[in-house]
Amino acid sequence: MKIAAVDFETANSSPASICSVGVSTLEDGTMEEAYYSLIRPEANVDRFDYRNIRIHGIHPEDVIKAPEFSQVYHHLTECFSGSIVCAHNACFDMGCLKAACINTGRKVPCIEYFDTLELSKRVFPNMHHHRLNDMCDCLGIELNHHNAMSDADGCLQIVIEIMNRSGIYDIKELLYACHVGIHEL
């Protein structure tokens, strides 16, 4: 089964204010950077907060000529088609996807997803922190944290590393063995 890891960055505290997205996929043992884009947030959520800029380094001028969410929506749904989707702290990323869809009048995609944060906690219970950057440091995964493409790659590489360590390469079997839930959006 294809796995699609997704990461969103936002301009402010509104989950609909997506300003970048990265998607990496794993299919038949091959990992690919499926999609990356800066995104110009919709006018009703286009305020960039200093706190968010400090985290991801994306400024309002960086997205002036970027496509809006409505224009990248079809790319995302193509990446998610036939996939189980994952994200590190999936509640945040799935919340962003849902909020942006609702804000732009797009259909919320019907996807199955799991949380690599939850998976990390199950597989590495003795680690003090399970944040994406901590997990990548622990597993020797290169990460440019808060770059959406790098975060999506890092998330997917955590899954690959856990598959390699467990010897379980069927994602649903792995999640079942680790007692990690599969959710629906």
Side-chain angles (χ1 to χ4, degrees):
M1 170 172 251
K2 182 174 137 185
I3 304 169
V6 65
D7 184 76
F8 293 106
E9 300 296 332
T10 58
N12 57 60
S13 61
S14 170
S17 69
I18 295 172
C19 61
S20 74
V21 62
V23 181
S24 286
T25 60
L26 178 69
E27 189 168 19
D28 299 327
T30 302
M31 185 174 160
E32 296 179 3
E33 292 182 357
Y35 186 72
Y36 173 79
S37 183
L38 289 172
I39 298 173
R40 187 175 64 246
E42 300 294 318
N44 65 326
V45 291
D46 68 351
R47 181 189 80 260
F48 275 75
D49 287 347
Y50 172 75
R51 180 182 175 278
N52 294 62
I53 294 170
R54 198 178 78 228
I55 290 169
H56 52 57
I58 301 169
H59 294 82
E61 57 269 18
D62 297 329
V63 300
I64 289 173
K65 294 184 180 180
E68 292 180 339
F69 181 80
S70 297
Q71 297 167 289
V72 303
Y73 174 82
H74 74 280
H75 293 292
L76 295 178
T77 56
E78 284 176 9
C79 291
F80 298 156
S81 179
S83 300
I84 186 166
V85 177
C86 65
H88 206 78
N89 190 16
C91 184
F92 171 80
D93 295 287
M94 295 303 109
C96 289
L97 177 59
K98 185 176 182 178
C101 287
I102 291 168
N103 191 51
T104 59
R106 299 285 178 230
K107 180 182 177 203
V108 177
C110 183
I111 57 174
E112 288 186 316
Y113 70 92
F114 67 96
D115 192 338
T116 57
L117 176 60
E118 180 184 359
L119 179 62
S120 298
K121 288 178 179 180
R122 299 276 189 200
V123 175
F124 302 99
N126 296 326
M127 282 187 64
H128 186 63
H129 294 288
H130 294 87
R131 296 173 295 221
L132 181 62
N133 57 321
D134 295 320
M135 290 306 305
C136 287
D137 285 348
C138 174
L139 299 173
I141 298 167
E142 189 175 324
L143 182 72
N144 178 8
H145 199 27
H146 296 297
N147 170 287
M149 190 73 256
S150 184
D151 285 356
D153 284 346
C155 178
L156 193 54
Q157 287 184 47
I158 290 170
V159 174
I160 293 168
E161 182 63 28
I162 292 171
M163 287 176 160
N164 289 336
R165 288 176 182 225
S166 69
I168 302 172
Y169 295 96
D170 177 281
I171 188 58
K172 288 191 175 182
E173 184 181 332
L174 176 69
L175 296 174
Y176 179 78
C178 296
H179 306 286
V180 173
I182 297 174
H183 311 279
E184 291 185 7
L185 185 64

